[in-house]
Amino acid sequence: MAQTIEVLYYVDASADAVTRRTAQYFADGIRDAAGARGKARIAISGGHTPKNAFALLADPSAQYREQIPWENLELYWVDERCVPPDHPDSNYRMTREALLDKVPLSQNQIFRIRGELEPEGAASRYEFDIRESFRLEGAEIPVFDMVALGMGPDGHTASLFPHTEGLHELMRIAIANHVPQQKESWRVTLTWPVINRARDVFFLIEGEDKVAALKSVFAGPYDPETYPSQLIKPATGRITLLLDAAAAAALPPPSAGGVGKLEISR
C-alpha cells in the first residue's frame, strides 16, 4: 500500500545561510528531544554542509552552542568509509575536528563506526553497540530522534548506492555494503528501514550537481534501485530538506518565507 509523504523544503540563497539554518535545526531538534525524552540520539552524515554546521555549533562566539544540552546528547553515524579514524576520508575524523574536540561530550556519548575493522566486523560491532545503547531486545530496531542525510548526484543516500546489495537488507540495523562505483570500496551504513523509523529525517543538500537527482527522487517515478534516496519514507510521513537555491532549481518555487511543500506517494 502506497504511503503519502509530506516533503517540506527550506531554500536559502547562500551556503552560509544554509549552514546557519542547519545549525539551528540541529540545536532545536537536540533540545526538543532531550526535553521530551531526557536524551537526544542523533545520527549524522559526512560532507561539507554538516562539517560547516558542526563548526558553527562548536563556536563559542556563535548563538547555537549554548542552546544545546550537551550532557543529554548521544551521537551516532549514518555511515562510514572503511578507513581508520584518523584517515582524511573518515566521517568520524571530520566530525571530531569540526565538533567533538571543541564541545563537552564524553566518550560514552559517542558511538562511532569502527572503520578500521574489516567491513563485516565493523558493521556487526556497530549494530552491537547500538543494541546495547538502546537496550534493544530480539528483533527490535532503534528509533533515532534525528537522522541527518545527504544525497549524491547519483541519488544515493547514506552508503546505499544504486544497484548495490545493501538496498535489499530489511532486517539488520547496520551492514557492510560493497560500492563498486566508488573505487570498489566498502562502506558501513545504517539500513533504510532503521532510517525510516527515526522521529525526524532530514536531508542537507547543496549545489547545482544535485538538481537532477532531487527532481528524480521527489518528482520522478519510483525507482529505488536507480535512486536509493526514494527508499527514505519515514514512518512519521514527513521528510525535511534543507537546500541552497542551486540545488532547489528544479523544485516548485517556495513561498515568500522560503518554504516549499510537496506530497509524494511511495
Side-chain angles (χ1 to χ4, degrees), residues 197-211:
R197 285 290 305 278
R199 296 181 175 93
D200 182 9
V201 179
F202 60 104
F203 285 83
L204 311 173
I205 305 173
E206 290 183 291
E208 61 183 13
D209 62 332
K210 311 295 176 63
V211 171

Side-chain angles (χ1 to χ4, degrees), residues 78-219:
V78 171
D79 66 328
E80 181 62 277
R81 298 172 178 87
C82 289
V83 296
D86 59 351
H87 192 281
D89 292 338
S90 166
N91 287 337
Y92 168 76
R93 174 178 169 172
M94 178 278 286
T95 310
R96 179 179 59 78
E97 293 177 346
L99 180 71
L100 302 181
D101 287 347
K102 304 171 184 177
V103 298
L105 282 175
S106 63
Q107 285 301 310
N108 63 8
Q109 295 173 268
I110 299 168
F111 298 84
R112 74 174 180 91
I113 299 170
R114 299 181 183 276
E116 68 272 23
L117 303 178
E118 58 86 19
E120 292 293 347
S124 295
R125 174 61 185 269
Y126 192 45
E127 179 159 337
F128 175 82
D129 288 346
I130 291 173
R131 287 190 173 279
E132 287 285 294
S133 173
F134 280 78
R135 299 182 180 180
L136 302 178
E137 297 182 359
E140 284 186 306
I141 63 175
V143 178
F144 289 97
D145 292 299
M146 305 177 78
V147 172
L149 299 172
M151 184 187 298
D154 60 355
H156 87 268
T157 193
S159 281
L160 301 170
F161 283 79
H163 309 292
T164 56
E165 288 298 320
L167 304 184
H168 307 289
E169 177 57 57
L170 301 178
M171 304 302 294
R172 295 278 304 279
I173 292 172
I175 57 168
N177 197 27
H178 183 231
V179 185
Q181 55 266 63
Q182 296 289 318
K183 299 181 181 178
E184 293 288 338
S185 68
W186 282 87
R187 308 282 186 96
V188 174
T189 184
L190 295 177
T191 59
W192 61 266
V194 170
I195 294 171
N196 284 337
R197 285 290 305 278
R199 296 181 175 93
D200 182 9
V201 179
F202 60 104
F203 285 83
L204 311 173
I205 305 173
E206 290 183 291
E208 61 183 13
D209 62 332
K210 311 295 176 63
V211 171
L214 266 170
K215 183 177 181 180
S216 295
V217 168
F218 294 108

